[in-house]
Amino acid sequence: MNDGARVLVVDDEPQILRGLRVVLRNAGFQVDVAGSKAEALDALAARPPDAMVLDLVLPDGSGVEVCRDVRRWSGLPVIVLSAVGDEREKVRALDAGADDYVTKPFGSDELTARLRAVLRRAADADTEAAVTVGELTVDVAGRRVLVRGEEIHLTPIEFDLLRVLAVHRGKLVTHRQLLREVWGPEYSGETHYLRVHVAHIRAKIEADPSRPRLLVTDPGVGYRLGEPPS
């Protein structure tokens, strides 16, 4: 249920704004629109929405800049819209605080599913002592991990990686963010550390580590715990 959640859509293409207004209203959302960075920031200040759908390319700035500005004062759920091949900007937006992304062209069902997911995570934030995804339970406070009810052993680094992903359950967490939170900012480029430890974690939590369903890779961007909404 959306319960009439209000979404601010920011894009400089009028036809996209019109299309998204129709799609989101049909899905039960209230919709405000903005065509530039300045309009978006004005709208956010005047009437803060429940979530924002944000294009990365704007006539007077970028979606990355909007994300950075918003994250100075708000935990507002943000989904960015990116063009195919825009990997660098997509990663920058996620590192700046965006919650998820959708690549153009995208289906209306995918966008609304991702919106519901980020709104649900925002509502559930900080309310769970343990995170459960399928047959996996991560007891964040107790530093315990259970698979099908049986406790498994993870090294401290493996647990810290899984903890970050569990806290952001369902959210794509970039390589840079994981490295920064687990090893520190000076390791933000050492992506090979992640590949090794993720492989070890999958061997312990996945039914079939060669076809992971719990700890999912987004190639070139990062990882998420739990499959993205379809």
Side-chain angles (χ1 to χ4, degrees), residues 146-211:
L146 294 89
V147 177
R148 294 181 291 279
E150 294 188 13
E151 187 169 355
I152 63 168
H153 173 73
L154 296 182
T155 68
I157 287 290
E158 289 167 0
F159 180 83
D160 286 340
L161 274 172
L162 195 59
R163 174 189 56 79
V164 174
L165 291 163
V167 168
H168 299 289
R169 178 186 58 185
K171 176 180 175 179
L172 179 61
V173 184
T174 65
H175 298 141
R176 184 183 298 273
Q177 183 179 348
L178 281 167
L179 288 161
R180 188 170 59 233
E181 292 198 30
V182 176
W183 280 276
E186 65 272 26
Y187 291 90
S188 61
E190 307 291 341
T191 56
H192 62 282
Y193 284 17
L194 292 176
R195 288 193 295 272
V196 171
H197 287 288
V198 165
H200 291 165
I201 294 169
R202 282 176 172 154
K204 297 175 181 181
I205 69 171
E206 297 280 1
D208 181 356
S210 66
R211 301 178 65 185

Side-chain angles (χ1 to χ4, degrees), residues 26-76:
N26 287 343
F29 295 100
Q30 301 177 58
V31 184
D32 294 333
V33 298
S36 66
K37 174 185 173 182
E39 287 181 14
L41 294 176
D42 286 347
L44 288 164
R47 193 181 180 199
D50 298 301
M52 177 166 57
V53 175
L54 173 67
D55 191 22
L56 282 179
V57 180
L58 299 171
D60 57 345
S62 73
V64 173
E65 293 167 350
V66 175
C67 281
R68 288 201 186 106
D69 286 346
V70 168
R71 284 295 172 258
R72 293 192 182 107
W73 56 272
S74 174
L76 174 76

Side-chain angles (χ1 to χ4, degrees), residues 102-118:
V102 177
T103 302
K104 298 178 180 177
F106 52 85
S108 57
D109 288 345
E110 178 185 10
L111 178 60
T112 55
R114 290 186 185 276
L115 262 175
R116 292 187 187 103
V118 297

